[in-house]
């Protein structure tokens, strides 16, 4: 079941993008506003992916295409921009996704591992609405 959710979420996931300069006060919904709205939905999608990835066995070969697609999105961004994924819009979410799909654990450098069950619950809360959206 989670594999199907992951598959659907990855298909709908847009690749990382470079942050744009913030606009002025309220305006009618123009193209830029529509992009911001899509970005908010993408943030929720990334949170869903983070939660699902924490709940599955990443060594399951059925997940490899999903993990490869996420890795490819991240690699493509880093090659095109010449910067680390953390500089992208919602970079903290992309960084966490990278850490999970590349087997680095959660929160690189924080000594946190996805293999440690004590860390899963705190990460799941962080991946949900307990962390302010930084989209």
């Amino acid at each position: 079941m989670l594999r199907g959710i992951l598959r659907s979420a990855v298909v709908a996931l847009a690749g990382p993008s470079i942050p744009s300069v913030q606009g002025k006060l309220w305006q009618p919904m123009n193209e830029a506003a529509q992009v911001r709205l899509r970005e908010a939905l993408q943030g929720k999608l990334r949170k869903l992916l983070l939660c699902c990835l924490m709940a599955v066995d990443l060594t399951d070969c059925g997940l490899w295409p999903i993990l490869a697609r996420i890795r490819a999105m991240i690699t493509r961004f880093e090659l095109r921009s010449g910067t680390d994924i953390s500089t992208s819009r919602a970079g903290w979410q992309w960084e966490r996704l990278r850490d999970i799909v590349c087997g680095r654990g959660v929160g690189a450098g924080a000594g946190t591992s996805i293999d440690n069950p004590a860390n899963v619950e705190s990460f799941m809360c962080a991946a949900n609405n307990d962390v302010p959206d930084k989209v």
Side-chain angles (χ1 to χ4, degrees):
M1 182 171 159
L2 279 179
R3 189 185 298 173
I5 293 170
L6 278 167
R7 219 177 267 125
S8 297
V10 168
V11 167
L13 185 66
S17 60
I18 297 172
S20 60
V21 178
Q22 291 296 325
K24 299 179 182 179
L25 296 176
W26 184 87
Q27 298 174 356
M29 188 172 269
N30 57 18
E31 188 175 331
Q34 292 173 1
V35 169
R36 286 191 302 274
L37 180 60
R38 279 194 301 273
E39 281 296 320
L41 295 174
Q42 288 290 312
K44 291 178 182 179
L45 188 58
R46 287 187 296 270
K47 286 180 183 182
L48 174 66
L49 278 171
L50 288 166
C51 288
C52 289
L53 287 170
M54 293 300 298
V56 297
D57 177 11
L58 297 175
T59 62
D60 177 0
C61 63
L63 295 176
W64 293 352
I66 294 168
L67 302 177
R69 177 158 165 79
I70 295 170
R71 273 191 229 103
M73 289 176 157
I74 293 167
T75 301
R76 192 174 312 119
F77 172 85
E78 290 179 335
L79 290 174
R80 287 183 179 169
S81 70
T83 61
D84 186 70
I85 193 67
S86 62
T87 63
S88 69
R89 179 174 289 153
W92 67 278
Q93 286 179 326
W94 283 106
E95 232 178 345
R96 286 181 177 174
L97 282 168
R98 178 194 59 197
D99 292 345
I100 292 170
V101 300
C102 294
R104 298 181 188 175
V106 178
T112 312
S113 168
I114 59 172
D115 296 327
N116 183 349
N119 296 323
V120 173
E121 185 176 332
S122 64
F123 180 78
M124 293 289 277
C125 292
N128 288 320
N129 292 330
D130 297 342
V131 173
D133 289 328
K134 297 180 183 178
V135 177

